Amino acid sequence: MNTYELNDIVQMKKQHPCGTNRWQIIRTGIDVKLQCTGCGHIVMMSRQNFEKHLKKVLEHAENEAD
């Protein structure tokens, strides 16, 4: 179930300590890198761990067509 892409805004099951629960996906691959939209904190986690803790995709990134 790969319903997320680079630059999507996602919601995780647990809230970040800064009070925000919105994360932007800034890297995908074996690992997924997320940036908190509230404080800018960056975390990296395995794809398996990310998919386990993902609640839902809030916003899909707009694809830029050439």
Side-chain angles (χ1 to χ4, degrees):
M1 186 169 112
N2 191 0
T3 59
Y4 52 87
E5 295 179 7
L6 191 64
N7 294 321
D8 284 353
I9 303 295
V10 296
Q11 180 180 6
M12 303 303 279
K13 290 182 181 176
K14 291 187 179 180
Q15 189 174 14
H16 191 248
C18 76
T20 294
N21 201 7
R22 293 171 57 92
W23 296 85
Q24 181 179 10
I25 300 173
I26 57 175
R27 180 184 183 274
T28 58
I30 297 283
D31 296 320
V32 177
K33 191 182 247 186
L34 303 170
Q35 183 171 19
C36 178
T37 59
C39 66
H41 183 78
I42 295 175
V43 293
M44 184 178 270
M45 60 179 68
S46 68
R47 179 179 291 272
Q48 181 181 13
N49 195 27
F50 171 74
E51 290 178 354
K52 178 181 174 184
H53 291 94
L54 176 66
K55 189 170 184 180
K56 63 182 174 182
V57 176
L58 299 173
E59 299 173 23
H60 287 286
E62 295 183 19
N63 294 332
E64 296 180 14
D66 291 89

